[in-house]
Amino acid sequence: MSLLVLGINHKTAPVELREKVAFSPQQLEQALGQLSEHPQVRSCVIVSTCNRTEIYAELNQPGVGVLVEWLTRFHQLSSDSLMASIYYHEEQSAVKHLMRVACGLDSLVLGEPQILGQVKQAYASAGKAGMISGSLEKLFHKTFAVAKRIRTETEIGGNAVSVAFAACTLARQIFESLSDVTTLLVGAGETIELVARHLKEHQCSQIIFANRTQSRAQALAEQFDAKMSGLEALPEQLCQADIVISSTAAPMPLIEKAMVEKALKQRRHQPMLLIDIAVPRDIDENVGSLADAYLYSVDDLQSIVEHNREQRKLAAIQAEAIVTEESADFMRWLRSREAVDSIKQYRTQSEHIKQAELEQSIQALANGADAESVLRQLSNRLTNKLIHPPTQAMQQAAQNGEPDKLAVMRVCLGLDSDN
């Protein structure tokens, strides 16, 4: 049996190729069904995200060729189009790779937590298809435990490394809880959507989307159970907002100093946090001079992000050490399983020899043979049959000039034991 992983990711393949090799939910079910009938595949898990497609498998025979052939046939691609972008790992290298992926060490954004959920979902899909068993099942359970250990013992996921996440982290540092504050999100692009997702993860329940195109704001409002308005209503919305986060493509500032000053008066000078992550800026820089307005620009957040990237790199060193330790531990377990099979086979073989000799001796006693003579013959035959294979092996090792093999056999037979 052989453990291996075959895949492509954001480091080895452009998005055009990754799209062709990705599995939709419907394709994933079909693919797992095909692999379940493959004579060489004992079990497998397919991880397919926007940044990677990987097949983790336990095969009856070593070799990645069967998976390459199946993958190209399934997606109707030529092997030439894939080979330059494919990577594969076997045995401990495959174990280590899965652990690194699940912990975010192999991600586009170092330490990002979403990949662990995606790996767990892939494992669940494989389990539903009946493709989880044996060593692969043990490996994924071990990997989930390792990911939890790394999140607990290191700061790999503890620092914001995107501007959107940094904005939410800053808000959480200023407000004790986001559940009681109102956040106004100006814009409706990918960055604002990501900000909204992070806010929801931190229990921010009162969100207002303001955007020039109201249909887009409406779509986001429905997605996040929030309110929406057009940009013309910004002055009215500002007085409700404890936090304002803006990211539009407007060429000129949308939020002027006078607008914020008026809103603060209506709020009876209750403080307001304003985070401008747009370039060009959405919020007049003079807003920062107001006594109760705390304005941060994208440059302020970028310095936080850069600092946190360095902190994650330090945490990654700790995480890599844990992965190395845990992957070696898993391989010790896997090798011990191989020993268990050999031990069972050896015991079964010895039991058959014993049973055959015992039955022969019982028959001799039943025919009236002398009991002492029968016992002596039994012990001699049993001893000779049990020592014959290792005796031959030691002679062969000596004749072939293999002292290391001979030394191992001496240890196995207890010849070099102090006892």
Side-chain angles (χ1 to χ4, degrees):
M1 289 181 291
S2 174
L3 279 175
L4 64 83
V5 55
L6 165 76
I8 68 171
N9 64 18
H10 58 281
K11 299 176 184 176
T12 68
V15 65
E16 293 82 5
L17 181 57
R18 299 203 305 273
E19 287 174 342
K20 294 177 181 177
V21 183
F23 292 86
S24 67
Q26 295 77 17
Q27 287 178 316
L28 182 61
E29 184 177 352
Q30 181 186 357
L32 290 169
Q34 288 186 13
L35 288 170
S36 69
E37 298 174 356
H38 198 294
Q40 289 296 328
V41 180
R42 293 174 62 90
S43 58
C44 77
V45 174
I46 299 176
V47 176
S48 184
T49 73
C50 59
N51 285 329
R52 72 179 65 246
T53 293
E54 295 179 335
I55 304 173
Y56 295 86
E58 184 178 14
L59 303 181
N60 290 322
Q61 298 290 337
V64 73
V66 293
L67 290 182
V68 173
E69 180 185 354
W70 173 83
L71 184 63
T72 54
R73 187 171 64 252
F74 185 92
H75 285 296
Q76 298 181 346
L77 299 170
S78 68
S79 58
D80 291 342
S81 65
L82 276 179
M83 292 310 296
S85 300
I86 279 178
Y87 53 84
Y88 72 93
H89 304 280
E90 297 179 288
E91 304 305 333
Q92 184 167 353
S93 180
V95 172
K96 192 172 183 179
H97 180 78
L98 174 58
M99 291 180 178
R100 294 187 74 253
V101 168
C103 298
L105 291 172
D106 195 55
S107 295
L108 183 62
V109 177
L110 180 64
E112 59 96 0
Q114 288 83 8
I115 185 62
L116 177 58
Q118 292 167 330
V119 172
K120 286 184 175 180
Q121 181 58 52
Y123 175 81
S125 297
K128 186 178 179 181
M131 288 302 292
I132 293 293
S133 63
S135 301
L136 201 64
E137 180 177 22
K138 179 73 173 181
L139 171 58
F140 272 81
H141 282 292
K142 176 76 168 179
T143 296
F144 299 149
V146 171
K148 182 178 180 180
R149 178 187 170 189
I150 286 175
R151 294 284 165 181
T152 302
E153 296 183 15
T154 77
E155 291 297 320
I156 190 68
N159 301 292
V161 290
S162 72
V163 170
F165 194 20
C168 296
T169 301
L170 181 60
R172 288 177 60 227
Q173 290 173 350
I174 293 175
F175 293 91
E176 185 175 342
S177 170
L178 298 185
S179 61
D180 299 323
V181 302
T182 297
T183 302
L184 174 62
L185 300 181
V186 183
E190 291 182 5
T191 301
I192 286 295
E193 183 176 352
L194 187 56
V195 168
R197 188 173 294 114
H198 290 316
L199 288 171
K200 278 293 186 181
E201 288 173 358
H202 293 104
Q203 286 74 52
C204 182
S205 59
Q206 301 175 61
I207 298 176
I208 304 170
F209 288 96
N211 192 52
R212 191 176 306 280
T213 306
Q214 294 195 29
S215 59
R216 174 59 179 161
Q218 181 65 43
L220 288 176
E222 291 174 358
Q223 180 181 345
F224 293 100
D225 190 24
K227 298 178 182 179
M228 59 78 64
S229 75
L231 291 183
E232 70 281 355
L234 267 181
E236 292 77 17
Q237 301 294 355
L238 277 174
C239 66
Q240 301 179 42
D242 303 296
I243 302 170
V244 179
I245 302 176
S246 187
S247 177
T248 76
M252 300 291 289
L254 298 174
I255 300 175
E256 300 288 350
K257 178 182 177 183
M259 192 186 299
V260 176
E261 192 170 19
K262 182 179 179 181
L264 286 170
K265 288 180 180 178
Q266 291 176 314
R267 291 168 56 83
R268 297 181 180 179
H269 294 278
Q270 187 177 350
M272 181 187 297
L273 169 65
L274 300 102
I275 303 174
D276 188 352
I277 50 181
V279 178
R281 286 178 286 189
D282 283 339
I283 303 174
D284 182 352
E285 61 181 315
N286 294 315
V287 168
S289 65
L290 297 173
D292 299 304
Y294 300 89
L295 175 62
Y296 292 83
S297 70
V298 68
D299 287 344
D300 297 322
L301 295 185
Q302 199 60 48
S303 64
I304 296 174
V305 167
E306 289 303 322
H307 172 75
N308 288 345
R309 279 204 182 103
E310 293 304 313
Q311 293 300 110
R312 280 201 179 187
K313 287 179 182 178
L314 293 175
I317 296 172
Q318 297 173 280
E320 293 281 10
I322 292 173
V323 166
T324 299
E325 172 196 333
E326 295 282 8
S327 62
D329 180 69
F330 179 81
M331 292 306 296
R332 283 192 292 271
W333 172 84
L334 191 59
R335 286 190 288 267
S336 74
R337 291 294 301 168
E338 295 172 357
V340 167
D341 292 339
S342 297
I343 291 168
K344 285 181 179 178
Q345 187 178 356
Y346 181 58
R347 286 186 178 277
T348 299
Q349 182 188 66
S350 300
E351 183 66 27
H352 288 162
I353 294 173
K354 181 198 77 172
Q355 196 63 36
E357 295 302 325
L358 182 59
E359 289 175 1
Q360 184 177 342
S361 298
I362 291 173
Q363 186 62 47
L365 289 172
N367 292 336
D370 177 66
E372 183 177 348
S373 176
V374 169
L375 287 174
R376 289 185 183 277
Q377 290 176 15
L378 171 63
S379 62
N380 288 336
R381 289 197 309 269
L382 191 58
T383 300
N384 288 335
K385 289 192 175 182
L386 290 175
I387 70 172
H388 180 66
T391 299
Q392 278 193 320
M394 285 192 290
Q395 288 175 339
Q396 190 68 44
Q399 291 170 3
N400 294 341
E402 298 173 315
D404 292 342
K405 184 181 290 186
L406 184 60
V408 170
M409 285 187 281
R410 288 182 62 84
V411 171
C412 292
L413 295 170
L415 299 180
D416 293 334
S417 172
D418 294 337
N419 298 323

